[in-house]
Amino acid sequence: MSIRHVLSFGGGVNSVALMVVLLREELPFDEAVFADTGGEVPETYQYLETARQYLADHEIPLTVVSKRGRSLYETAWDRRVFPSAIWRWSTRDFKITPIQRHYRSLDVHINQYLAIAWDEVHRMKDSRVDYVTNLYPLIDRRLTRVDCVNIIQEAGLPTPQRSSCFFCPFNSVDRWRWLYETHPDLFDKAIALEENSKHFPSQRLTDQAFRERTDISLRSLAEVFADGGPLPALPAVEQQPCGAECGT
Ligand code: SF4
């Protein structure tokens, strides 16, 4: 069976740097694939076109795949839930499954490049399907996230915004603040999704950012941001999503 080398492209710093490394070192590279949940921030969609052009200049296609039917936000709204940091169904259904469906349609073995940096080595995992082998060139080269930023700048590319859904439960406090200040319309949509959940207020989209606080919702966070007041006292915790498909 023939082998196709595919970059799982998340649209963030790690995967842009890995794209550059693969091309710079002339490693086997047949295609990049991006799974679109429909909920990325506008900056990520804009960067996708930058990456598409960069890849096209090297004659590498960028394929965008997505789950059929409703977007992730619409699906969560309809079910009256939001993406779960525990069950991680959004990553499974809207990232991993569409990518694997694309791979199966190619009917070849896939060597999949995943953009996990050296300082996130705990996020490595084996492929759970026999037609895909995961490869980690950033880890093989011990390239950290800081190295990735440098690689992107040396290549003359702009540094991408963090890639993840605007309503991601793994958003850090800084990411929520950035969204509030840069895309207040999307922040309002995230509030609406949180408050539409049948599990609200016992579960909130801020649970990961404020692990031990049960009283901080997005609406209360917006009030703090609007006042310019101090953030709630407990340290914010940022946990990375489960795989390389999100946040890379
Ligand atoms: S970025 Fe967050 S919300 Fe979007 S699919 Fe990944 S884990 Fe789910």
Side-chain angles (χ1 to χ4, degrees):
M1 187 178 246
S2 59
I3 296 176
R4 192 167 175 84
H5 289 79
V6 182
L7 167 63
S8 177
F9 186 78
V13 164
N14 290 9
S15 58
V16 172
L18 180 51
M19 172 185 76
V20 172
V21 168
L22 295 177
L23 294 170
R24 191 173 67 187
E25 298 188 16
E26 299 183 357
L27 295 171
F29 188 9
D30 300 304
E31 179 183 0
V33 62
F34 173 80
D36 183 9
T37 67
E40 298 283 349
V41 295
E43 286 79 356
T44 300
Y45 289 116
Q46 286 160 13
Y47 204 98
L48 211 52
E49 295 315 307
T50 302
R52 188 192 301 281
Q53 187 58 55
Y54 191 82
L55 287 162
D57 291 344
H58 296 83
E59 300 181 356
I60 306 290
L62 171 66
T63 304
V64 178
V65 299
S66 59
K67 185 177 184 300
R68 298 185 184 111
R70 310 267 286 163
S71 70
L72 174 53
Y73 185 96
E74 292 167 338
T75 301
W77 185 273
D78 293 346
R79 294 181 188 167
R80 296 194 56 225
V81 295
F82 47 74
S84 164
I86 297 171
W87 303 111
R88 304 178 186 218
W89 57 269
S90 55
T91 309
R92 184 194 63 218
D93 294 352
F94 285 81
K95 290 282 186 180
I96 297 172
T97 299
I99 289 173
Q100 290 186 344
R101 189 186 337 117
H102 174 62
Y103 290 165
R104 283 199 306 275
S105 76
L106 298 172
D107 198 24
V108 293
H109 187 83
I110 302 293
N111 280 352
Q112 175 177 243
Y113 295 120
L114 293 177
I116 301 295
W118 175 244
D119 36 4
E120 305 165 331
V121 68
H122 58 281
R123 296 177 67 194
M124 286 177 73
K125 63 182 179 187
D126 288 335
S127 166
R128 293 189 180 166
V129 291
D130 59 7
Y131 54 89
V132 176
T133 301
N134 288 345
L135 304 174
Y136 295 92
L138 298 178
I139 289 176
D140 295 343
R141 288 157 182 73
R142 300 196 171 205
L143 293 171
T144 64
R145 196 165 175 86
V146 171
D147 294 327
C148 288
V149 172
N150 292 335
I151 287 167
I152 293 168
Q153 290 175 350
E154 286 164 14
L157 288 165
T159 304
Q161 176 59 232
R162 178 182 168 80
S163 67
S164 64
C165 301
F166 67 85
F167 46 87
C168 181
F170 293 106
N171 280 351
S172 65
V173 177
D174 285 345
R175 172 77 166 185
W176 286 123
R177 185 194 290 277
W178 174 85
L179 190 71
Y180 175 83
E181 293 175 348
T182 314
H183 298 292
D185 54 329
L186 296 182
F187 197 96
D188 286 346
K189 282 188 74 174
I191 290 176
L193 187 67
E194 182 182 63
E195 295 181 355
N196 180 62
S197 168
K198 58 192 170 197
H199 304 300
F200 180 80
S202 60
Q203 295 174 15
R204 295 155 313 280
L205 273 167
T206 52
D207 281 346
Q208 289 294 312
F210 297 97
R211 197 75 56 80
E212 295 164 46
R213 288 288 293 264
T214 57
D215 58 336
I216 302 171
S217 65
L218 281 181
R219 189 176 293 280
S220 68
L221 203 53
E223 289 168 6
V224 174
F225 292 156
D227 289 347
L231 282 170
L234 279 173
V237 181
E238 183 173 13
Q239 181 184 340
Q240 295 285 351
C242 46
E245 297 80 8
C246 298
T248 58

